[in-house]
Amino acid sequence: MELSRTAAATGGMLKGECVISGISEGRGYSPQKPGSVEEHPHPSPTGWRIADAVLAVVAFTSVVAAGNLDHMPRGLAGFLAIRLTVKNVLLLTVFAWAWPFVMMLCGLYNPNRLRTGHGELPRLVIASVAGSLIAMVFPLTSQSGLVNVRHAILFAVGAMPSSYMLRASARALTRFRLRGRERQILLVGSGPLAARLYRQLVSDPLHYITVVGFVDSEPQAALAGLGSEHLGGIPDLERVLMRRVVDDVFIGLPVKSCYEEIRHCIAACERVGVPASYPADLFAGCSLRPRASSRGSAVLSASGIPTADRLVIKRAIDVAGAVVLIGALAPVMLAAAIAIKLTSPGPILFAQQRYGYMKRLFRMYKFRTMVADADRLQASLEQHNEASGPAFKIRNDPRITRVGRFLRRTSIDELPQLWNVLRGDMSLVGPRPMATRDVGLFAEPWLMRRFSVPPGVTGLWQVNGRSDVTFDRWIELDLEYIERWSLLLDLDILLRTVPAVINGRGAA
């Protein structure tokens, strides 16, 4: 449970009367008072970056040294003296910077994750795979051949468990240092919400929390049955805070029916100087994901789109995947560029304004598959549009060149969008970016929800028939992707894209 300190209002009602902390299930904990002993003395993210950089360099050089034992007749020192060139030092320096950057993109420096280890292992796996791709620069630039692709792969195999053991050891040391320094928490309320808060607070031993009891004018069985001590009614809160050691007060009262009681508790906490906290998950039972945030003044925001930490991992996969695909498909793209240039006048690339994430405009790139003035000719072809809804599609579009038809059927025309992925305009997987003409014809506000995630090179629409799918079904697939989104779904779509491209069904 992460407690992000906010000074504010719950739904605009608490009017900033005191400091409030938002709580959401499964996250970390933080409030500190002036002069208090540091509650969680973990290394800072900067310290972790330095440690990870050193670990990466040691791990990679160890792998290379171990793989070249037969090339070291004068021992390890002699081998290093020969191979530690200026070029290698520069490459290792860049690698030492890039590895922590990858770890950061994967969310591995999140303070809560460093403290609890929650969700750390799969992120380390992804970071190690991305790190091995970066390490490919060594075999690609090696003139002696003593550093090869196998060493980059072995780095990933060794870096993941090494990083995990380093973090697990730091957490074990921290647990040992923090024994006997529990934080004292007082609950307000005794109903279902307070009982849920109590279970959350005591469920994670890494938080070192002791619930000293609760105050409620009408004690209910929900919390009393869990063994928590009743210390008095809500009017007694200020007296209890004056007489007991309490680090934080967690308010477990429903806003709708107990608004005045909540105001009283907040005012009492403010007078005594104890932080008051309220659960951020006010919207239980709905599809939104609440979170506490601060943008100048504190707010409680809710979002039905993927959370930021998972989007960071998605972005790390996008960058690594785009780099690999551009390298692997460079000969195909070069051949396509030559074919376009030799068979029709005009530029090789087609660039068009498209709507992307949160309706931001960006220039999307494709290999040109139509005649050079295709945009100007579109108005004269509107009456032949075969697509339902705002989209524009003609199966036998007269503007498409002979080479362009092949590029479309094989989806080679989409490959320049890997550059858009590297730039951050697009993702490998997501709803297709739409042209300004099409979006301008949207009549229903709910259609705009498809822009709540980054657009993709491929998506559910592409693996379910592309142009054979009606516009309504296209939008349904986009919204289904947003509702179901996960990294596993992205992987599934990427794997299904290959046979869809080979089959060519729905390409137009």
Side-chain angles (χ1 to χ4, degrees):
M1 288 173 278
E2 182 170 297
L3 308 180
S4 22
R5 293 182 61 93
T6 59
T10 302
M13 294 187 294
L14 301 183
K15 303 186 186 298
E17 291 182 302
C18 87
V19 176
I20 301 178
S21 302
I23 307 176
S24 59
E25 185 173 356
R27 305 176 95 181
Y29 175 123
S30 73
Q32 293 286 330
K33 296 186 188 65
S36 66
V37 178
E38 182 187 5
E39 189 66 22
H40 299 290
H42 290 266
S44 67
T46 300
W48 274 114
R49 289 186 180 94
I50 294 173
D52 285 330
V54 173
L55 179 66
V57 172
V58 170
F60 187 75
T61 53
S62 298
V63 164
V64 174
N68 288 280
L69 290 175
D70 55 339
H71 294 279
M72 290 189 273
R74 289 181 290 165
L76 179 61
F79 173 79
L80 292 177
I82 295 173
R83 301 300 170 194
L84 204 59
T85 63
V86 173
K87 181 199 74 174
N88 289 336
V89 169
L90 291 175
L91 288 176
L92 283 172
T93 301
V94 173
F95 184 62
W97 172 87
W99 173 246
F101 180 73
V102 169
M103 303 279 272
M104 180 193 70
L105 289 177
C106 291
L108 287 164
Y109 296 131
N110 177 283
N112 177 60
R113 188 161 295 117
L114 287 172
R115 181 170 60 250
T116 66
H118 179 71
E120 189 173 75
L121 195 56
R123 287 173 167 81
L124 281 172
V125 172
I126 294 171
S128 298
V129 173
S132 68
L133 295 176
I134 296 173
M136 291 293 181
V137 69
F138 292 99
L140 290 175
T141 58
S142 176
Q143 296 179 348
S144 64
L146 294 180
V147 183
N148 53 50
V149 173
R150 181 167 54 92
H151 296 139
I153 297 173
L154 287 175
F155 166 76
V157 174
M160 191 277 291
S162 299
S163 297
Y164 185 76
M165 289 175 61
L166 180 65
R167 282 162 166 71
S169 299
R171 284 189 289 271
L173 178 61
T174 300
R175 284 195 295 270
F176 177 78
R177 293 172 59 190
L178 287 178
R179 284 182 180 175
R181 292 158 55 185
E182 292 84 2
R183 200 161 185 82
Q184 309 296 307
I185 303 297
L186 175 69
L187 288 174
V188 176
S190 56
L193 178 57
R196 178 158 55 89
L197 277 173
Y198 177 84
R199 285 190 290 266
Q200 290 176 359
L201 287 167
V202 301
S203 64
D204 190 345
L206 287 178
H207 288 159
Y208 296 96
I209 286 173
T210 296
V211 178
V212 299
F214 70 95
V215 296
D216 198 346
S217 299
E218 299 178 5
Q220 301 178 42
L223 184 57
L226 297 176
S228 185
E229 181 183 358
H230 180 222
L231 301 178
I234 290 178
D236 301 318
L237 174 61
E238 195 166 330
R239 176 185 58 81
V240 173
L241 293 177
M242 291 175 64
R243 299 289 183 265
R244 307 268 316 225
V245 175
V246 175
D247 294 304
D248 290 280
V249 172
F250 281 36
I251 302 173
L253 298 172
V255 171
K256 186 174 181 179
S257 59
C258 299
Y259 173 64
E260 289 301 328
E261 288 87 345
I262 293 173
R263 285 172 58 94
H264 170 79
C265 293
I266 290 172
C269 290
E270 183 180 30
R271 285 192 295 269
V272 179
V274 175
S277 304
Y278 196 87
D281 45 351
L282 297 172
F283 309 100
C286 100
S287 61
L288 297 178
R289 304 178 182 95
R291 65 184 186 275
S293 64
S294 177
R295 298 183 180 96
S297 60
V299 297
L300 188 69
S301 59
S303 173
I305 62 177
T307 53
D309 58 339
R310 293 198 296 167
L311 287 177
V312 167
I313 299 176
K314 181 178 173 71
R315 176 64 184 149
I317 296 173
D318 286 341
V319 172
V323 169
V324 171
L325 288 173
I326 288 174
L329 298 174
V332 176
M333 289 191 281
L334 178 61
I338 294 173
I340 293 168
K341 197 64 179 176
L342 293 178
T343 57
S344 65
I348 293 172
L349 294 178
F350 170 73
Q352 187 182 54
Q353 290 277 84
R354 296 286 179 107
Y355 279 98
Y357 181 55
M358 293 301 180
K359 299 182 291 298
R360 288 178 172 85
L361 288 171
F362 72 97
R363 290 180 68 81
M364 189 194 77
Y365 297 96
K366 300 177 67 172
F367 280 124
R368 182 173 58 83
T369 59
M370 294 184 173
V371 294
D373 57 348
D375 276 347
R376 183 178 59 81
L377 296 173
Q378 181 171 328
S380 63
L381 297 171
E382 287 284 355
Q383 68 271 22
H384 301 294
N385 186 14
E386 299 172 4
S388 59
F392 181 87
K393 292 286 182 183
I394 301 177
R395 186 165 298 277
N396 295 310
D397 196 318
R399 299 172 298 167
I400 300 177
T401 65
R402 184 176 58 184
V403 169
R405 199 167 300 280
F406 171 79
L407 296 179
R408 287 186 168 216
R409 188 170 62 251
T410 57
S411 296
I412 293 174
D413 64 317
E414 310 285 0
L415 293 182
Q417 289 160 42
L418 293 172
W419 172 247
N420 287 116
V421 174
L422 281 180
R423 283 169 47 91
D425 301 324
M426 296 176 62
S427 173
L428 290 177
V429 182
R432 285 296 294 165
M434 296 194 73
T436 54
R437 170 221 174 260
D438 300 346
V439 178
L441 296 175
F442 280 11
E444 300 293 334
W446 61 268
L447 293 172
M448 293 297 182
R449 188 160 183 249
R450 72 184 305 281
F451 301 113
S452 62
V453 296
V457 178
T458 186
L460 282 177
W461 177 66
Q462 282 82 354
V463 299
N464 282 279
R466 290 193 280 187
S467 296
D468 290 343
V469 175
T470 65
F471 176 78
D472 289 342
R473 178 57 180 157
W474 177 7
I475 296 298
E476 284 180 17
L477 290 170
D478 287 345
L479 298 184
E480 179 185 344
Y481 172 79
I482 295 171
E483 293 289 342
R484 293 176 50 206
W485 181 81
S486 68
L487 296 174
L488 286 178
L489 177 60
D490 276 5
L491 177 61
D492 176 64
I493 292 172
L494 287 171
L495 293 176
R496 291 167 59 190
T497 297
V498 177
V501 169
I502 294 174
N503 182 46
R505 185 171 67 90

